[in-house]
Amino acid sequence: MQISDLPYPDPGVPDARSGPRFLLWLGRGQLGGQLKSLCWGMLHFTGVAALPYAVGLGVDAVVDREPNGLLLVGVLLLVTGIAISVGDSMLHSTAVTNWITAAARVQQLLARKTAELGSALTRRVAAGEVVAVSTGDVEKIGWFVEAVSRFLAAVFSVVLVCVGLLFYAPELGVVVAIGVPLIALASLPLLPRATQRADVQREKAGKATELASDTVAGLRVLRGIGGEELFLGRYREASQEVREAAVRSARMWALISAIQVVLPGALMIVVVWYGAALVSDGRIAVGELVAAFSAVATLLYPLRHFQEIAMAYSFSRPSAQRAARVLSLTRTDAAGERPARTDPVAAPAAGGDLYDPRTGLLAPAGRFTAVVCGDPDLAGRLAERLGGHPMDGDPVSEAGADAEADAGAEADAGSGSSADSGADGTGAPSVLLGGVALDELELDTARTLVLVQDKDPVLLSGTLRELFDVPASGAVESAAALGAAQCADVLDALLQSAPDGVENPMDARITERGRSLSGGQRQRLALARSLVTDPEVLVLDEPTSAVDSHTEARIADGIAALRAGRTTVVLASSPLLLDRADRVVLIDGGTVAAVGTHRELLQREPRYRAVVTRETDEEQRLGGLELTELAEALTEIEESA
């Protein structure tokens, strides 16, 4: 895999059982690149390891006055220099390639998992952790993958130097062969503590970042209540804790670095002292002493890679653990017991009804159905279910298991399926579209058929044209969608804030998450984006909660007109939206409690009236008495007539 070949056609299925297993899986996926890097590293380090012997031979040739030997040493130095230069250049190139391709693979895996889980991801893993994994952790994982081949090449060169000295100068070679392993292993007892301190630093840094993000997001409110200084003080404290943790971590790594400098220096002193005694006794030549001294000095370079691999693994292991935790998440059923099906079926024929066996909710094909829930959280979970995204802890209610029996007649008439159809192996019913369970479909197919817009949609930064560049049927133009969502004032606001020269509002830029827009403006742009996609089934959760009543009434008309003949489900409690719906369903206690039009339910269903009109129990009782008195009065008038 070369950088030019990225992204991967298929990043593969990772081993996410643990951080080390994930790192091992990444390494196995790059065996070719690792072998290339190892070969070039061995060439580079072999050249480095050969330098001391070439220098020793040169000294011996000068002492013995052998011109031919000196010429041979010159050729050897030339070859060694070429090997060092070429090997170093190619080692750097291949190692960086391994780093980038490993990081790209992890990012693709995270992106695929994010797309698979959707909004479920941030409910099971903190959003800050997802960001940390996809940025800093990816780099640390790539660093370890890249450092492995350099470390193995360094090990090869260290072994080569020690073995060479054993043959070239046995007396000094024994000293070096004993001392080098001790130097390499001397830092191991300190690594657990260094890793622990690094983990503490990352944890405190994450908390400080989270506190800063919350403070910035709520700065307007904090200023309004006078709490700005309070939170600023808290951030100062958190920042100081991060600084102290960083200093403690740096001290430990500095100690490890010092050991890697002091011990080789001590070994060099021992070699020089012992070698000088051997030379004075005539047991070795001067060239052998120079070669041994140069070899020990040269070993400082490859020994640094021992420290690097230790640091890389210490930092990448928790990063890989966090990545593995995210990648191990799966789409589960309502009870959190069953992963999504792996045997997808064919997509249903167009024009099928949408039916939820758990609640008994039926959305007839081509109709505008409004759903009223007294519990906003229940409405959000129901919207996820209708989109085929069951979540852990998703049970719409404790009474959800009885929904099938309570609404069986409606299901049989509308979808031609019993409540048991579409149930998975665990007995948990799944949402049906045209009689086919959504969780049995390919994920891309299910999301093409049913689009869910939650109550807090996200706007990505970029131009308005890029915002609407989404997979769509092509039947709805962006202008029509913007008109239906009543976005004229939003377009004007974007155009006014755009730089000079921008005349088309579609070319105006939207800031990150649409922060420059009001809540209602963001909500309407998100609604227009959903309308542009023109899915077979569109599920909207409180799409007009942040707009005024006049705009809401026009949006309701726009949705009804633009989605005519298409299946639309709106979860809302606004009378303006409910009055435009073809069919209104009341969900109470997790099941369908009543079905009718908005006006019909207002007249005959007190529970519906309580949710929509916000009536208290006393107001309902008085309202019932007034209706009774009015009926009695009408009866008396009829009798007297």
Side-chain angles (χ1 to χ4, degrees):
M1 172 62 68
Q2 299 295 322
I3 296 178
S4 59
D5 298 328
L6 295 175
Y8 284 91
D10 180 10
V13 180
D15 185 349
R17 289 176 290 178
S18 67
R21 289 178 182 271
F22 181 60
L23 291 174
L24 181 61
W25 177 83
L26 279 177
R28 287 201 305 266
Q30 288 189 324
L31 286 179
Q34 293 289 352
L35 287 175
K36 288 181 181 178
S37 185
L38 178 59
C39 290
W40 289 116
M42 290 171 64
L43 176 64
H44 170 66
F45 283 107
T46 299
V48 172
L51 279 176
Y53 305 108
V55 172
L57 292 174
V59 171
D60 288 338
V62 172
V63 172
D64 298 337
R65 299 181 181 276
E66 295 180 357
N68 293 334
L70 196 58
L71 179 61
L72 179 62
V73 169
V75 173
L76 180 60
L77 287 174
L78 177 62
V79 173
T80 302
I82 294 175
I84 292 174
S85 301
V86 174
D88 186 37
S89 170
M90 297 305 299
L91 171 62
H92 179 75
S93 175
T94 53
V96 170
T97 299
N98 289 336
W99 184 341
I100 294 176
T101 51
R105 186 190 292 271
V106 177
Q107 285 181 327
Q108 281 187 250
L109 290 170
L110 291 170
R112 186 175 67 182
K113 182 60 64 174
T114 302
E116 175 187 339
L117 296 177
S119 60
L121 180 61
T122 53
R123 297 179 185 175
R124 301 167 70 180
V125 180
E129 182 173 347
V130 176
V131 174
V133 170
S134 59
T135 53
D137 286 339
V138 166
E139 292 188 4
K140 292 182 178 67
I141 292 171
W143 176 28
F144 174 74
V145 173
E146 176 255 352
V148 167
S149 56
R150 287 208 308 269
F151 167 70
L152 294 176
V155 171
F156 171 78
S157 69
V158 169
V159 173
L160 186 63
V161 169
C162 293
V163 172
L165 278 178
L166 286 174
F167 285 96
Y168 184 71
E171 293 87 348
L172 293 176
V174 172
V175 176
V176 175
I178 294 174
V180 168
L182 294 177
I183 295 173
L185 300 177
S187 301
L188 287 182
L190 299 177
L191 287 179
R193 181 173 295 183
T195 302
Q196 182 181 9
R197 291 189 178 184
D199 291 342
V200 171
Q201 177 194 351
R202 282 192 292 269
E203 180 182 357
K204 291 185 178 294
K207 291 181 179 179
T209 302
E210 182 179 352
L211 179 61
S213 300
D214 292 343
T215 303
V216 171
L219 190 59
R220 182 179 300 177
V221 177
L222 291 175
R223 286 175 174 171
I225 63 176
E228 184 178 0
E229 287 299 326
L230 174 63
F231 276 81
L232 185 59
R234 291 179 180 177
Y235 179 74
R236 286 196 186 101
E237 294 177 2
S239 178
Q240 289 302 312
E241 291 180 0
V242 174
R243 182 188 62 80
E244 293 173 0
V247 170
R248 294 182 72 247
S249 178
R251 285 174 179 169
M252 185 57 64
W253 288 111
L255 177 59
I256 294 175
S257 299
I259 290 175
Q260 294 296 321
V261 173
V262 171
L263 292 184
L267 178 61
M268 189 178 301
I269 293 173
V270 171
V271 168
V272 172
W273 174 78
Y274 182 56
L278 293 177
V279 170
S280 63
D281 293 341
R283 297 167 59 183
I284 64 172
V286 176
E288 293 175 340
L289 174 59
V290 173
F293 172 81
S294 302
V296 174
T298 303
L299 284 178
L300 293 176
Y301 173 53
L303 283 175
R304 285 204 299 267
H305 292 81
F306 285 67
Q307 178 187 355
E308 182 193 17
I309 196 66
M311 293 182 64
Y313 181 73
S314 298
F315 282 98
S316 65
R317 181 186 54 78
S319 297
Q321 187 65 43
R322 284 191 289 267
R325 181 191 172 202
V326 174
L327 295 175
S328 63
L329 298 176
T330 58
R331 297 177 69 220
T332 57
D333 71 347
E337 299 172 353
R338 174 189 54 81
R341 289 184 180 270
T342 57
D343 51 345
V345 300
D353 299 335
L354 183 70
Y355 173 64
D356 178 21
R358 174 158 301 176
T359 60
L361 171 64
L362 173 68
R367 305 284 296 279
F368 183 177
T369 302
V371 181
V372 176
C373 300
D375 182 3
D377 293 335
L378 184 148
R381 294 195 297 269
L382 179 58
E384 293 288 347
R385 279 185 53 77
L386 294 178
H389 312 303
M391 310 298 304
D392 290 344
D394 174 62
V396 176
S397 73
E398 296 296 333
D402 300 329
E404 306 155 40
D406 296 340
E410 183 182 0
D412 293 336
S415 66
S417 303
S418 68
D420 290 335
S421 64
D424 54 43
T426 64
S430 57
V431 174
L432 308 174
L433 178 61
V436 177
L438 286 179
D439 64 351
E440 293 182 348
L441 297 173
E442 287 278 4
L443 186 60
D444 293 341
T445 302
R447 290 186 172 176
T448 300
L449 294 172
V450 183
L451 175 66
V452 178
Q453 176 182 305
D454 60 25
K455 63 183 64 178
D456 188 22
V458 175
L459 300 181
L460 302 179
S461 59
T463 65
L464 192 58
R465 194 183 309 278
E466 293 170 342
L467 179 69
F468 284 88
D469 186 16
V470 293
S473 67
V476 178
E477 298 291 336
S478 57
L482 288 166
Q486 300 298 310
C487 294
D489 64 315
V490 184
L491 299 181
D492 292 339
L494 288 174
L495 199 56
Q496 289 176 3
S497 61
D500 295 338
V502 177
E503 300 180 355
N504 189 340
M506 297 299 292
D507 297 324
R509 294 195 64 82
I510 300 174
T511 56
E512 179 186 2
R513 299 181 67 89
R515 295 187 186 278
S516 61
L517 302 173
S518 68
Q521 290 174 328
R522 290 196 298 270
Q523 195 173 58
R524 281 178 282 160
L525 280 181
L527 174 60
R529 179 180 57 186
S530 299
L531 293 173
V532 163
T533 62
D534 188 38
E536 182 174 335
V537 178
L538 177 60
V539 180
L540 303 172
D541 185 9
E542 294 288 356
T544 58
S545 59
V547 301
D548 61 82
S549 57
H550 297 288
T551 305
E552 186 178 27
R554 293 195 294 269
I555 290 176
D557 291 333
I559 294 175
L562 197 62
R563 293 287 299 173
R566 305 288 270 172
T567 306
T568 306
V569 180
V570 177
L571 291 95
S573 59
S574 168
L576 295 172
L577 274 174
L578 299 174
D579 195 39
R580 267 70 171 183
D582 300 323
R583 190 169 181 269
V584 179
V585 179
L586 172 65
I587 303 291
D588 185 58
T591 62
V592 172
V595 179
T597 65
H598 170 60
R599 297 172 189 249
E600 291 172 351
L601 293 179
L602 276 179
Q603 293 178 0
R604 62 179 172 83
E605 184 53 62
R607 290 174 294 180
Y608 178 83
R609 201 162 52 244
V611 175
V612 174
T613 64
R614 308 294 194 273
E615 286 184 351
T616 64
D617 293 340
E618 182 65 19
E619 289 172 338
Q620 291 185 44
R621 187 183 66 79
L622 293 176
L625 291 175
E626 292 175 359
L627 290 175
T628 302
E629 294 173 356
L630 179 60
E632 291 176 352
L634 290 175
T635 301
E636 292 178 359
I637 293 174
E638 291 176 356
E639 290 177 352
S640 62

